[in-house]
Structures are given as structure tokens and as C-alpha cells.
Amino acid sequence: MRISQLAARSGVPATTLRFYEGAGLLPAERTPAGYRMYGESAVQRLAFIGAAKHLGLPLEEISELLTVWETAACRDVRADLRPRVAERIADAEHRTAELAAFTASLHRALEHLDALPDRAGRCDPGCHFLARSPSTGVVRSAGVPLTLSGHSAGQDPQSMVSVACSLTGESRRERTAAWRDALDGATRSRVPGGVRLTLPSARAGTVAALAAAEQECCPALDFRLHFDGPVLHLEVSAPDEDADLLAELFTTAV
């Protein structure tokens, strides 16, 4: 099969197939004229890669699994895969806890807003946008950072290994439209490796839900949300290989 035929058979775009080849995941033979050629095994290989991606496995681990998948017995693949999936479960549960804490912070902030006096005068220190910690009762700033990331905290996004986005066709168009609606009117500025968007805090729930969903299909994207009074700051970064996706979803207006 030529690359266009493999793309049609597998549903994986040709650009992604070329990326997989460069990353060592999908070897291709070459004709004397230099065209890529693939055998039937490439379709099964892509199915395996796709399944591993949907588990949130990074590209390096998928490459390791492919080696086992090609050379070892099925039970060996299972033994190799199980601890990796268990690790992803722990990571997902941690992120779920972060998102739950962020949601609770939003509810506390809303309760505080509702309790503020309804007066015509200017705000004074008693009107500050504060939240109380349910465990200590100590008043603190309501600015709460939330990180949704496919890599370890503190890791340079530019050193990450990219995993191509698994959304294609109508699903990708719908996700793009959802982001554009959520970020309509946001102020954008450049940050190292990505972009910072500032928008009304009322959209925090929508943005957090979209960021969590994006992690399922595009784990190379890194999201950092900071709730800062009446506004929400969203920082999105990605490795160089995902610059086009970052621009498509978040940096068009920068």
C-alpha cells in the first residue's frame, strides 16, 4: 500500500503516518522512486498504536510495547502492559482529585460572592474575593492553580515526546468549535512553549472540562489553570511537534 491507501484503510492521516515513521513506530519500505510502501501488518500495527494512545501511554512506552508485541507471546504483552495501565489509573485518579478540589474552590468562591453586601459604593477590603479552607477555616486567596498534564510536574514541555492527537474528522472539528466558543474574547499572550489566555472566571467549569477531555486524546498538551478573582488564566503548552495543533486551538488570535 502507498501512504494514501494506508491512511484510507486505517483512518490515520498521512501526516501522522509520516510522524510515526520518524518516531520509529511505523517502518516503511521505499520504492526506487522513493515512495513509502506498507504491508498488511501496518494496519494491525496502527490499531495497536491507537489502542495504546487511548490508554494515555507516551510515545516512548508505545515503542517499547511494540517491540514486545512483535517478538513475544501474548502473555508477555499482557504482563508488560498491566503495570503501565495501573500507573495511568493512578495518574487519572490524581487528576480527578485535582479537578474535584478545583470545583469545590469554585463553589466556595461563588458562595462568598453571594454573601457579599449589595451596596452602591465602591469595594473595600471586606469585598475581596476570598475563600475559606474547609479544613482549617483560614481565609486565603481564591486563586487556585490546576494542572492537567500528560507529563510530570515541572518537566519542560519542549522536552516531551509528542503523541499525535487521536481525534480526526468531525470529532476534531467539534472539539475545535467547542474551544473557540469557550475562549471567545479571551486575551492571549505568549509564554515559553505555548500561550496564556485570560477570560472570565464564569467559564472555568467549561474550560476545565474541555481541558480534561483534551487530555484523553492529546496527552502531549499541558494545561495549567489559575483562578484569579474575576478572571481565569489558562496556560497551554506543547512540544514543537504539536505546534500546529496548539496554533489551531489556542494561538490563532495571538
Side-chain angles (χ1 to χ4, degrees), residues 115-178:
L116 290 177
D118 185 13
R119 60 172 181 244
R122 294 186 61 187
C123 287
D124 61 29
C127 299
H128 284 173
F129 195 57
L130 302 175
R132 287 187 178 273
S133 167
S135 58
T136 64
V138 176
V139 178
R140 62 179 183 176
S141 169
V144 177
L146 170 68
T147 300
L148 294 174
S149 171
H151 56 91
S152 301
Q155 183 179 354
D156 181 1
Q158 297 305 310
S159 68
M160 293 167 54
V161 179
S162 171
V163 178
C165 182
S166 61
L167 285 183
T168 58
E170 188 61 28
S171 295
R172 182 159 177 169
R173 287 190 289 272
E174 289 176 357
R175 180 68 58 80
T176 301

Side-chain angles (χ1 to χ4, degrees), residues 3 6-7 10-27 36 38 46 49-50 53 59 62 162-169 172 217-218 241-242 244-245:
I3 191 168
L6 180 58
S10 65
V12 179
T15 52
T16 302
L17 296 179
R18 296 187 189 96
F19 172 74
Y20 284 166
E21 181 185 5
L25 294 179
L26 187 69
R36 294 175 176 85
Y38 302 90
L46 286 171
I49 293 171
K53 281 176 54 184
L59 201 62
I62 294 176
S162 171
V163 178
C165 182
S166 61
L167 285 183
T168 58
R172 182 159 177 169
C217 64
C218 306
E241 292 82 358
D242 293 286
D244 290 345
L245 177 62

Side-chain angles (χ1 to χ4, degrees), residues 1-8 17 31 33 35-38:
M1 289 177 286
R2 293 271 184 97
I3 191 168
S4 58
Q5 295 171 311
L6 180 58
L17 296 179
T31 67
Y35 292 107
R36 294 175 176 85
M37 296 296 292
Y38 302 90

Side-chain angles (χ1 to χ4, degrees), residues 13-207:
T15 52
T16 302
L17 296 179
R18 296 187 189 96
F19 172 74
Y20 284 166
E21 181 185 5
L25 294 179
L26 187 69
E29 297 181 2
R30 297 278 181 164
T31 67
Y35 292 107
R36 294 175 176 85
M37 296 296 292
Y38 302 90
E40 287 293 325
S41 62
V43 178
Q44 294 182 3
R45 192 179 186 91
L46 286 171
F48 186 89
I49 293 171
K53 281 176 54 184
H54 281 291
L55 294 176
L57 297 178
L59 201 62
E60 181 180 352
E61 291 191 30
I62 294 176
S63 179
E64 294 170 357
L65 276 169
L66 279 169
T67 300
V68 179
W69 178 70
E70 286 183 319
T71 61
C74 184
R75 62 173 176 268
D76 297 321
V77 178
R78 182 182 63 182
D80 195 318
L81 183 57
R82 194 182 191 287
R84 300 177 194 269
V85 174
E87 183 179 355
R88 297 305 298 169
I89 290 173
D91 181 60
E93 289 175 344
H94 176 71
R95 283 187 281 157
T96 299
E98 284 187 327
L99 189 56
F102 182 63
T103 301
S105 173
L106 293 177
H107 282 296
R108 291 194 300 271
L110 188 61
E111 290 171 1
H112 179 76
L113 278 176
D114 290 341
L116 290 177
D118 185 13
R119 60 172 181 244
R122 294 186 61 187
C123 287
D124 61 29
C127 299
H128 284 173
F129 195 57
L130 302 175
R132 287 187 178 273
S133 167
S135 58
T136 64
V138 176
V139 178
R140 62 179 183 176
S141 169
V144 177
L146 170 68
T147 300
L148 294 174
S149 171
H151 56 91
S152 301
Q155 183 179 354
D156 181 1
Q158 297 305 310
S159 68
M160 293 167 54
V161 179
S162 171
V163 178
C165 182
S166 61
L167 285 183
T168 58
E170 188 61 28
S171 295
R172 182 159 177 169
R173 287 190 289 272
E174 289 176 357
R175 180 68 58 80
T176 301
W179 273 117
R180 288 178 179 170
D181 288 343
L183 302 177
D184 183 41
T187 301
R188 292 168 167 83
S189 58
R190 298 285 185 183
V191 296
V195 61
R196 188 186 204 208
L197 304 99
T198 301
L199 58 156
S201 60
R203 301 187 200 172
T206 299
V207 170

